[in-house]
Amino acid sequence: SYSFCTLLAANMLKAAVLVVLAVSASAHPGMQEVDYAKVRQDIWNMLDAYKNNPDGGLAPVMLRLAWHSAGTWDPHNKPHGGSCGATLRWAPEKDYYDNVGLQIARDALQVVHDMNPGITYSDLWVLGGYVAVEHMSGPHIGFIPGRKDAHHNDYTPTPENRLPGWNDTADGMVETFERMGMNIREMVALLGGHSVGHTQPQNSGFPFLQWDITPLVFDNFFYRFLFDQTWMREEDGNCGGTKCVYFRNRSWIMLIVDLHLRDDPRMMPIAKEYAEDQDLWHRDFVAAFKKLTEKGMEVNAQKPCPVMKRKQNTTA
């Protein structure tokens, strides 16, 4: 069942859609080859229209969609997954426990796709994640297009266990990111994405809590809170068929995997660097997120996904 806030959020999205469609229709009549700078602006306008969502804003969910799409990458096993394919459009992947709640971002980006039908969903979801970071006062991430979409009639779903789980061990986290081709420093940088957004009971089973005091600002408070606050263990709710275990301080939350950054000797020094230097974290996050979201551009889950030849206006 959905909360009142979720229903209200859906109505606000519909209103935002009408606003963005009206603006775009007047400013960009006709359809031509993809203008990625325009797509970036259309996404920005959508996020502006939706920024007062009572469930915590659209931008964190859009970032999560890009991450969950790319984080399935496995170069050693088929289907390879990754940002190519946009296979989260279909069951069973869209209904996996980790992907519940992403529909609102897909719906918003569908509106942008309708205005820019030449762009692939795979490219659009990644660009949406990039724009979401910048919209939340984070760094600009340069975009390279070229991801191809999978076709439903020859679709093979990626396994449900590809993404890191909320209750993974420290070693399990490292192994998952190594499978993606990411090292420990890149893993710690990417987990800083928990600086934004909330946990949602209707999606994950965790209570409606945020990781720090600025859930719509892409800052390093997440890392600072890891070390500066006291976290008390709680067990409550059903999280994917398992009792939810988390750590709480007032209205703030840390998951088991978050506290590995504080307690594991391989991760702790890096997390401390980011707690002390936001610019360093931003630089490392951009490099790691681009690296992850550009994996699979050569071979995707279903068919070859070659990088497009670069032309004018193909980067944004």
Side-chain angles (χ1 to χ4, degrees), residues 122-174:
S122 305
D123 273 344
L124 179 60
W125 290 1
V126 170
L127 183 54
Y130 290 5
V131 176
V133 168
E134 188 171 6
H135 194 269
M136 294 183 287
S137 303
H140 177 87
I141 305 177
F143 174 74
I144 298 175
R147 300 161 189 83
K148 304 290 186 181
D149 289 338
H151 300 287
H152 199 188
N153 58 359
D154 60 357
Y155 158 61
T156 302
T158 58
E160 189 168 6
N161 61 358
R162 287 276 180 90
L163 292 170
W166 59 266
N167 57 353
D168 278 356
T169 65
D171 287 341
M173 286 171 58
V174 172

Side-chain angles (χ1 to χ4, degrees), residues 110-130:
Q110 179 62 54
V111 176
V112 177
H113 189 277
D114 291 345
M115 296 187 290
N116 303 274
I119 193 170
T120 64
Y121 288 99
S122 305
D123 273 344
L124 179 60
W125 290 1
V126 170
L127 183 54
Y130 290 5

Side-chain angles (χ1 to χ4, degrees), residues 156-313:
T156 302
T158 58
E160 189 168 6
N161 61 358
R162 287 276 180 90
L163 292 170
W166 59 266
N167 57 353
D168 278 356
T169 65
D171 287 341
M173 286 171 58
V174 172
E175 290 172 6
T176 296
F177 279 88
E178 284 180 344
R179 185 213 72 220
M180 301 177 205
M182 311 300 287
N183 62 35
I184 291 178
R185 186 174 192 89
E186 291 164 335
M187 177 187 73
V188 175
L190 289 171
L191 286 171
H194 280 172
S195 180
V196 295
H198 299 76
T199 50
Q200 304 272 1
Q202 71 272 20
N203 296 337
S204 65
F206 291 106
F208 186 76
L209 298 169
Q210 58 202 48
W211 279 267
D212 62 36
I213 57 174
T214 54
L216 292 178
V217 181
F218 200 75
D219 55 29
N220 68 339
F221 278 19
F222 165 74
Y223 297 103
R224 292 163 61 180
F225 270 38
L226 269 175
F227 297 103
D228 293 346
Q229 302 296 326
T230 300
W231 300 100
M232 304 299 294
R233 180 185 173 102
E234 294 195 10
E235 298 185 18
D236 182 44
N238 186 321
C239 291
T242 303
K243 179 170 282 191
C244 302
V245 178
Y246 55 96
F247 299 84
R248 185 169 184 167
N249 182 324
R250 289 169 283 188
S251 61
W252 310 319
I253 190 171
M254 290 288 165
L255 305 180
I256 290 174
V257 290
D258 297 322
L259 289 190
H260 292 328
L261 304 187
R262 183 195 68 182
D263 299 334
D264 186 271
R266 297 165 293 182
M267 307 175 200
M268 181 267 290
I270 304 168
K272 277 196 168 181
E273 286 184 53
Y274 296 152
E276 295 167 359
D277 191 336
Q278 179 171 286
D279 290 339
L280 173 63
W281 170 54
H282 279 176
R283 290 194 298 272
D284 284 359
F285 180 89
V286 168
F289 198 44
K290 272 185 65 67
K291 177 180 174 180
L292 179 62
T293 53
E294 290 173 4
K295 287 180 178 292
M297 290 181 73
E298 305 250 339
V299 177
N300 83 329
Q302 318 297 329
K303 294 182 179 179
C305 184
V307 178
M308 290 179 181
K309 292 181 180 178
R310 297 203 192 182
K311 300 177 182 177
Q312 237 179 344
N313 293 329

